[in-house]
Amino acid sequence: MRNNNNRDNEDQNLRRPLLPHAGAAVAADKHDSHNHRLDDDRSVTSKLWIETQKLWQIVGPAIFSRLASFAMNIITQAFAGHLGDVELAAISIANTVIVGFNFGLLLGMASALETLCGQAYGAKRYHMLGIYMQRSWIVLFCCCFLLLPLYAFATPVLKLLGQPDDVAELSGQVALWLIPLHFSFAFQFPLQRFLQCQLKNHVVAWVALVALLVNVLTSWLFVYVWGFGVVGAAVALDVSWWVLVAGMTWYAMRGGCPLTWTGFSVQAFSGLGEFLKLSAAAGVMLCLENWYYRVLILMTGYLQNATVAVDALSVCMSINGFEIMIPLAFFAATGVRVANELGAGNGKAAKFATAVSVVQSTLIGLMFCVLIMILRDKIALIFTSSADVLAQVDTLSPLLAVTILLNSVQPVLSGVAVGSGWQATVAYINLGCYYVIGLPLGILMGWTFKLGVEGIWGGMIFGGTAVQTVILAIITIRCDWDKEAEKARNHVQKWSTPQEHSLQT
């Protein structure tokens, strides 16, 4: 009986198929594949959400602080404008030309901290952030002294550039009163990046709000109550920027950054030569961009019947100036995020942070680009009621839209360069694209082909900004992020010193 049962079982086993039913197998594979896809989707969605939170933790406050600083300049010009046309021209030229020239260089030099502090923070070498900031203070403070002749000789320089004598004389006087503002850059820029690399941008935003309120109050007191005139407007701007320095210094040194600020250290005086090289490369990289569009306005002023063209271009640059605060905030955030991840040895995370930042900034830029084209015949009404200027702005709107779109991508890629320490390479790229290709092409199209301001601006955009953006995009796409993470780790080890006792504040 048992043998018969064994025989029946063997027959059933022989008749059983070696492979499962094809339909069941396919169904099982589909079910497993679907589950894997859901897990992958959840993983990507989760990573995207986490990275977006980290990014906007920097971007949001950075936008506000930059708009507040920009608004202080506008408020100062508004108070000066009620004193007279010469006073308005003097404060505008002194602030835009004299201070603006130095602002771009010092801001760029301070951006070296975004590389060093960001990578050190990612590598958990927290004590080095305070030492790096002190080195940056020393380098920028010395650089401020080297730039003082531009303030001292502002009047003859402005006369040489063709400014009327009365405007040049008063601008030179105002420039001397803006020297305290000039020296505030040496401390404020490093402090801002020191806090930014620790994701403490909310502190910078709150201090910027206080400084903005102080600027309104002091401008009213110095100009209207005490009658100091245009000099009072300049002093009010000095006070406001030093409020920024005082607020951030108080927070950093009074317990806000216990891991990264351990007091003044003699280590700040070591390695200044190497630090200066990186700072100089970063300064050249950013100031070449900062000066580029200032050259555009200067060149437009030499066209025949240039009054309307300059007015229309000034309106477009004002709109671009407000909007570019968003990409500049992404520039800062991208530099921090990339530096943090590279310093921590996470090359893939740095690549992902780059992609998220580029996509989000581009989408915002695209939105503004479409808005400009929809309101192209109305956007200038905020600034003027002149029919000629309105018509010229309408004509220039496509160029403004393209500029905004490109500027939503290019600063983010520059932020990647800062976070990775590529400042010297990008400085050469900027020099070649802006001043070897873009500027000559703008001159050629504006004067040789007689296309006026449209030709100058178009040549500088497509020959300079667009080419630079494409080159930076190619470099970023082809980047070996694991190799960059290894370089960042070596970089941190080279620049770091053992944590030691510091002179406590």
Side-chain angles (χ1 to χ4, degrees):
M1 185 70 177
R2 183 176 297 171
N3 291 337
N4 289 336
N5 288 337
N6 289 339
R7 190 179 298 112
D8 290 340
N9 289 336
E10 289 175 1
D11 291 341
Q12 289 176 1
N13 289 335
L14 289 172
R15 287 193 297 268
R16 185 176 298 159
L18 295 175
L19 295 174
H21 188 271
V26 171
D29 289 342
K30 287 183 177 179
H31 180 71
D32 291 341
S33 177
H34 178 67
N35 286 339
H36 284 307
R37 272 200 308 273
L38 286 177
D39 290 341
D40 290 343
D41 289 343
R42 289 194 196 101
S43 177
V44 172
T45 303
S46 176
K47 285 170 58 181
L48 179 61
W49 175 243
I50 292 171
E51 181 57 40
T52 299
Q53 287 180 307
K54 291 180 179 178
L55 188 68
W56 279 91
Q57 188 177 351
I58 305 172
V59 170
I63 292 173
F64 179 83
S65 59
R66 279 166 168 75
L67 286 174
S69 299
F70 191 80
M72 285 194 287
N73 292 329
I74 299 298
I75 289 169
T76 300
Q77 292 182 19
F79 273 94
H82 285 85
L83 297 173
D85 292 341
V86 175
E87 287 80 358
L88 175 59
I91 196 78
S92 299
I93 291 171
N95 200 18
T96 303
V97 179
I98 306 300
V99 177
F101 179 89
N102 300 311
F103 179 94
L105 180 61
L106 295 171
L107 180 66
M109 293 182 70
S111 72
L113 282 184
E114 293 181 30
T115 303
L116 299 173
C117 287
Q119 292 181 0
Y121 191 79
K124 302 188 187 317
R125 302 288 183 93
Y126 299 122
H127 70 287
M128 287 304 302
L129 272 72
I131 294 174
Y132 288 150
M133 180 172 67
Q134 293 171 59
R135 288 177 186 171
S136 187
W137 282 344
I138 294 168
V139 169
L140 265 65
F141 188 70
C142 293
C143 188
C144 282
F145 278 101
L146 295 177
L147 294 171
L148 278 180
L150 191 59
Y151 291 83
F153 300 103
T155 296
V157 168
L158 291 172
K159 287 181 179 180
L160 187 63
L161 292 174
Q163 293 297 324
D165 288 348
D166 55 347
V167 173
E169 293 286 347
L170 190 55
S171 296
Q173 183 182 351
V174 170
L176 292 175
W177 283 97
L178 289 175
I179 289 177
L181 169 67
H182 170 69
F183 276 96
S184 75
F185 297 157
F187 300 94
Q188 192 257 334
F189 293 155
L191 276 162
Q192 187 180 50
R193 276 138 191 81
F194 170 77
L195 295 172
Q196 182 177 278
C197 290
Q198 304 171 63
L199 305 184
K200 295 181 181 291
N201 264 38
H202 63 284
V203 177
V204 181
W206 280 111
V207 174
L209 176 60
V210 173
L212 178 61
L213 296 176
V214 169
N215 181 250
V216 175
L217 177 61
T218 53
S219 295
W220 175 70
L221 287 174
F222 292 159
V223 175
Y224 287 146
V225 178
W226 295 329
F228 293 151
V230 69
V231 169
V235 172
L237 197 60
D238 294 337
V239 172
S240 305
W241 277 80
W242 275 103
V243 166
L244 285 171
V245 175
M248 287 186 284
T249 302
W250 182 85
Y251 178 84
M253 296 185 180
R254 295 300 173 186
C257 304
L259 294 177
T260 54
W261 177 261
T262 57
F264 293 102
S265 173
V266 293
Q267 289 295 325
F269 293 92
S270 65
L272 288 177
E274 291 294 324
F275 194 93
L276 177 60
K277 289 181 182 178
L278 182 60
S279 295
V284 173
M285 169 187 154
L286 278 185
C287 70
L288 288 175
E289 295 180 13
N290 188 52
W291 297 337
Y292 192 51
Y293 287 104
R294 298 178 192 275
V295 172
L296 170 61
I297 296 177
L298 183 64
M299 289 172 59
T300 303
Y302 288 101
L303 293 172
Q304 291 182 351
N305 302 320
T307 303
V308 173
V310 170
D311 288 345
L313 188 60
S314 298
V315 169
C316 291
M317 289 296 106
S318 296
I319 295 170
N320 183 61
F322 273 106
E323 194 280 332
I324 204 172
M325 296 300 159
I326 299 174
L328 286 178
F330 273 95
F331 163 82
T334 307
V336 171
R337 289 293 304 126
V338 170
N340 284 169
E341 297 297 349
L342 291 179
N346 301 325
K348 291 182 179 179
K351 180 180 180 181
F352 187 74
T354 298
V356 172
S357 187
V358 169
V359 169
Q360 293 190 9
S361 181
T362 302
L363 288 175
I364 294 173
L366 188 61
M367 180 185 69
F368 277 100
C369 181
V370 172
L371 191 63
I372 291 294
M373 293 308 298
I374 293 174
L375 302 175
R376 56 184 296 174
D377 58 338
K378 299 179 180 65
I379 53 174
L381 288 171
I382 303 172
F383 302 92
T384 183
S385 57
S386 169
D388 292 336
V389 175
L390 289 170
Q392 185 67 52
V393 171
D394 187 12
T395 303
L396 293 175
S397 291
L399 291 173
L400 175 60
V402 172
T403 301
I404 287 175
L405 184 59
L406 288 173
N407 283 342
S408 67
V409 181
Q410 182 269 330
V412 182
L413 298 177
S414 293
V416 176
V418 168
S420 304
W422 303 337
Q423 287 94 330
T425 301
V426 178
Y428 286 114
I429 293 172
N430 289 353
L431 180 63
C433 292
Y434 288 150
Y435 298 96
V436 177
I437 300 175
L439 196 57
L441 185 60
I443 294 172
L444 182 68
M445 295 180 68
W447 275 278
T448 304
F449 294 106
K450 302 187 184 301
L451 296 177
V453 63
E454 295 97 327
I456 298 173
W457 194 359
M460 293 178 71
I461 290 175
F462 296 107
T465 308
V467 173
Q468 183 228 25
T469 303
V470 170
I471 293 173
L472 290 179
I474 293 172
I475 292 174
T476 304
I477 291 170
R478 297 182 61 183
C479 174
D480 185 339
W481 290 101
D482 291 331
K483 184 177 179 181
E484 290 299 323
E486 179 67 23
K487 286 167 59 178
R489 186 172 63 184
N490 295 334
H491 200 242
V492 170
Q493 291 176 350
K494 174 185 175 183
W495 283 73
S496 294
T497 57
Q499 189 165 4
E500 58 175 30
H501 179 72
S502 301
L503 302 174
Q504 296 296 323
T505 55

